[in-house]
Amino acid sequence: GDATLPAALRARAPRARTALVVGPDAGFSAEEVAGARAEGLAICRLGATVLRAETAAIAAVTLAAARGWEEDA
């Protein structure tokens, strides 16, 4: 399966451009995921729990900030 967000953040190169994209509550379609992968994006998940899009966005930014994402900018 896809990596978790914390694992993906640890694996990325320092100062690598990073964007967090949060999907709709129902998730991205297979075509959207395939298109993102074709563009070189890493697909990751927050965990086993499915969150509402609004909550997922806050959780993703919090995880990235805890990892020091803003310090790499």
Side-chain angles (χ1 to χ4, degrees):
D2 298 317
T4 63
L5 178 59
L9 290 169
R10 283 191 302 271
R12 75 179 184 47
R15 301 201 179 272
R17 289 183 59 191
T18 303
L20 299 175
V21 180
V22 176
D25 293 344
F28 289 109
S29 70
E31 293 81 15
E32 290 169 325
V33 172
R37 283 196 172 109
E39 292 296 323
L41 299 179
I43 307 299
C44 57
R45 56 188 165 74
L46 291 175
T49 304
V50 176
L51 302 174
R52 293 184 53 91
E54 298 86 355
T55 307
I58 294 166
V61 170
T62 300
L63 285 169
R67 164 63 178 77
W69 178 36
E70 72 280 359
E71 296 171 8
D72 289 345

